[in-house]
Amino acid sequence: MGWPLVGNMLFFLQSFKDGNLGSFFSYFVTRFREGGMYKAFMFGKPSIIITKVEISRKIFMDDENYDRGDGVDNDMVNVLFEETIYLFHGCHGLPFNIPGSAYNRGLKARRAMAKIYQYILDERKVMIGKNKTREKSNILLDMMLNTQDGDGGFNDEKIIAMLVSYTFAGFESVALVASTAIMYLEKHPHFLDKAKEEQEDIVKRRSSPNEGLNFHEIKEMKYLSNILKPSQPPFFPLGVGPKMCPGANLARLEVSVILHYFLLNYRVEQVNPESKIEPPRNCLVKFKKI
């Protein structure tokens, strides 16, 4: 479990900074043998580290019942976005709750996000209360609130914790998947050319050159869709099975839009070829318009 208080975080942060998380995982394999699942103390909590694809797949797939998922004003969205940035930085800082530290600011961000979500919950409860027929809703928040009437339901604290987790989990996933896809396409020109050809065909079929990308065209991106799915291990960018990211379809939609305009208009050249692209951390590139 590492050192007292800080656990395994010092080694993790150093490996993360060096862009070599493989050395962090190799430490557990070397010291405790090839088990595939290890105990650790991360971000101030007892944690589990998994290093084998088959164990990851089992964890993703062994749950038969997994819930998936109105309007919020822009000011709230902006505040949530800003606080999520502080929360994200706090989770990557040393777990010392000292005023002025990233960890301390992250805890404040967590409390600020909780207040916003509490306000949203209260508003939603009023709306549900007005719906006397209590029609079945497929909105995840409504599902959780409706369980509060029975035994074993979610209280507000649990619901808020889940909402914060979803916000945090989706913070940089789209950017990371999109940038990873771009770098892999650049490394494999054959696949890039085929993906680009598909996007050019979509543009040619438009009745007017001034038309923008629409949802029907995105559904026609069969080749690009296969690139974004690599359903085979060890790549699970959005999870798999019952524990797949609830926003996976939205994330693929967003990445498809990004790649459409990238393939038609841009190329990238890696400035520091020695930097790894798995994922593209500290990978510097120049964008070229074509």
Side-chain angles (χ1 to χ4, degrees), residues 174 249-259:
V174 170
N249 289 333
L250 175 61
R252 290 195 188 99
L253 177 69
E254 293 173 327
V255 176
S256 297
V257 173
I258 294 171
L259 292 182

Side-chain angles (χ1 to χ4, degrees), residues 60-80:
F60 279 132
M61 299 294 289
D62 69 354
D63 192 349
E64 295 181 357
N65 300 297
Y66 186 69
D67 287 335
R68 303 171 183 270
D70 287 14
V72 181
D73 64 59
N74 288 332
D75 289 339
M76 279 192 182
V77 174
N78 291 335
V79 172
L80 272 175

Side-chain angles (χ1 to χ4, degrees), residues 158-177:
K158 288 183 179 179
I159 294 176
I160 289 171
M162 292 182 69
L163 294 176
V164 171
S165 297
Y166 287 154
T167 305
F168 182 83
F171 179 68
E172 67 166 358
S173 58
V174 170
L176 187 57
V177 172

Side-chain angles (χ1 to χ4, degrees), residues 104-230:
N104 177 266
R105 184 61 184 85
L107 292 176
K108 291 181 180 178
R110 169 64 172 78
R111 291 193 289 270
M113 294 171 70
K115 288 183 179 179
I116 293 175
Y117 282 130
Q118 184 65 65
Y119 173 80
I120 294 173
L121 284 181
D122 293 339
E123 291 287 303
R124 197 69 194 175
K125 287 177 183 178
V126 172
M127 293 181 63
I128 292 176
K130 291 179 180 178
N131 182 11
K132 302 300 183 182
T133 59
R134 301 301 291 269
E135 296 175 359
K136 185 176 181 181
S137 171
N138 61 356
I139 297 175
L140 182 60
L141 182 58
D142 289 354
M143 292 179 183
M144 291 189 288
L145 285 173
N146 286 333
T147 67
Q148 293 186 331
D149 295 338
D151 296 332
F154 293 115
N155 56 31
D156 284 6
E157 185 178 353
K158 288 183 179 179
I159 294 176
I160 289 171
M162 292 182 69
L163 294 176
V164 171
S165 297
Y166 287 154
T167 305
F168 182 83
F171 179 68
E172 67 166 358
S173 58
V174 170
L176 187 57
V177 172
S179 55
T180 301
I182 286 173
M183 294 308 299
Y184 269 111
L185 286 171
E186 288 289 349
K187 293 289 184 181
H188 301 277
H190 172 69
F191 299 122
L192 186 147
D193 291 341
K194 291 190 69 173
K196 181 175 185 293
E197 182 180 346
E198 180 182 63
Q199 304 311 306
E200 290 173 337
D201 288 341
I202 287 174
V203 174
K204 289 177 183 177
R205 291 195 293 270
R206 291 175 182 167
S207 57
S208 169
N210 296 324
E211 289 183 11
L213 183 66
N214 60 57
F215 186 66
H216 176 72
E217 292 175 336
I218 293 176
K219 291 170 67 176
E220 294 179 344
M221 298 178 184
K222 305 299 184 184
Y223 189 80
L224 195 62
S225 177
N226 286 335
I227 292 175
L228 296 179
K229 287 178 180 177

Side-chain angles (χ1 to χ4, degrees), residues 66 99 265 279 283:
Y66 186 69
N265 301 295
C283 181

Side-chain angles (χ1 to χ4, degrees), residues 182 262 266-269 285-289:
I182 286 173
F262 167 76
Y266 299 96
R267 288 295 172 272
V268 296
E269 177 183 337
V285 300
K286 287 182 179 178
F287 276 81
K288 296 180 178 180
K289 190 168 179 61

